[in-house]
């Protein structure tokens, strides 16, 4: 449709304000809608990029892009081949309208705010999902080289009760988050397998829209 209307070079960003469809399913793999729009559909293939010791883990062999960490202008640094789908994509999804509107309001409030609050890097006791703690020291060192000291690493199983955060990265199967945990413009990230499964059950894991 975009190609037919001569718009392929005019679309850089795609925002999906919906829950359906949240994934693209084929006989050879399942992708999130946002990933399929960004990378193009990736089939299950761990022959070249299978995590050590996990032969049953289907990880697309080309799940990387040139744009990440490039500091480049998006149009001049496409994440994959120029002829492929290469838009920056995000999905605004919530369990109700009020929560979705709150996400937009926080985004508006963060515009031009230059926040200085602390980012927490959290190692939980969930050994299957806390594996990124191995990179925490390097992250803090790199930030301090640039003069940024607002990153804290800690051991914690529940971020509930934390407030005024600029960001939080953890790996935990289940947890609760306080309603005032994050300042406008903050980010939150948890390493789990099913948190992005919006419909069909999250396997008991905390869903991505928790706030």
């Amino acid at each position: 449709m975009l190609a037919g209307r001569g718009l392929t070079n005019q679309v850089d960003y795609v925002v999906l304000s919906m829950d359906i469809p949240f994934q693209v399913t084929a006989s050879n793999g399942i992708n999130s809608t946002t990933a399929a729009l960004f990378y193009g559909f990736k089939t299950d293939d761990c022959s070249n990029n299978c995590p050590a010791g996990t032969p049953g883990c289907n990880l697309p062999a080309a799940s990387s892009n040139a744009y990440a960490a490039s500091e480049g202008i998006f149009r001049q640094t496409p994440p994959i081949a120029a002829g492929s789908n290469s838009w920056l994509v995000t999905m605004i999804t919530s369990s109700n309208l009020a929560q979705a509107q709150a996400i937009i309001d926080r985004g508006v409030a963060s515009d031009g705010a230059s926040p200085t609050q602390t980012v927490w890097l959290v190692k939980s006791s969930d050994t299957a999902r806390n594996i990124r703690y191995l990179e925490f020291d390097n992250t803090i060192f790199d930030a301090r080289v640039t003069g940024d000291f607002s990153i804290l690493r800690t051991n914690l199983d529940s971020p509930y009760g934390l407030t005024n955060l600029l960001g939080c990265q953890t790996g935990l199967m289940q947890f609760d988050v306080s309603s005032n945990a994050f300042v406008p413009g903050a980010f939150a990230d948890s390493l789990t397998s099913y948190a992005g499964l919006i419909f069909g059950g999250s396997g008991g894991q905390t869903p991505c829209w928790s706030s």
Side-chain angles (χ1 to χ4, degrees):
M1 182 186 299
L2 292 174
R5 298 182 180 182
L7 298 175
T8 52
N9 294 323
Q10 299 181 43
V11 178
D12 288 343
Y13 312 99
V14 177
V15 177
L16 306 175
S17 56
M18 60 187 186
D19 292 335
I20 301 174
F22 71 95
Q23 66 182 20
V24 180
T25 303
S27 60
N28 56 352
I30 300 175
N31 289 194
S32 69
T33 304
T34 49
L37 287 170
F38 181 66
Y39 294 112
F41 187 83
K42 298 295 183 185
T43 60
D44 288 347
D45 176 17
C46 63
S47 60
N48 298 317
N49 194 23
C50 194
T54 56
C57 178
N58 293 323
L59 186 66
S63 294
S64 61
N65 62 77
Y67 179 66
S70 69
E71 300 295 334
I73 298 171
F74 182 73
R75 285 192 178 189
Q76 298 176 6
T77 319
I80 44 180
S84 67
N85 299 332
S86 56
W87 304 305
L88 290 174
V89 186
T90 186
M91 179 181 288
I92 299 173
T93 185
S94 300
S95 59
N96 57 71
L97 179 59
Q99 193 177 66
Q101 290 176 328
I103 292 174
I104 301 299
D105 291 341
R106 287 197 295 269
V108 172
S110 71
D111 191 20
S114 300
T116 58
Q117 289 83 1
T118 300
V119 173
W120 286 53
L121 305 178
V122 179
K123 178 187 176 184
S124 74
S125 62
D126 188 341
T127 57
R129 301 170 184 85
N130 70 7
I131 57 176
R132 291 181 296 189
Y133 80 90
L134 297 171
E135 297 296 327
F136 285 177
D137 286 342
N138 288 338
T139 300
I140 293 172
F141 177 82
D142 290 345
R144 290 182 176 178
V145 165
T146 64
D148 188 348
F149 291 82
S150 57
I151 301 180
L152 175 70
R153 64 167 296 167
T154 188
N155 297 337
L156 192 68
D157 270 346
S158 175
Y160 187 81
L162 298 179
T163 61
N164 203 40
L165 303 180
L166 178 57
C168 182
Q169 183 179 78
T170 187
L172 196 60
M173 182 174 179
Q174 285 185 322
F175 57 91
D176 292 319
V177 181
S178 304
S179 59
N180 59 344
F182 298 102
V183 299
F187 71 91
D189 177 74
S190 179
L191 178 64
T192 57
S193 300
Y194 293 98
L197 190 60
I198 298 175
F199 297 104
S202 59
Q205 299 179 2
T206 297
C208 61
W209 61 69
S210 293
S211 62

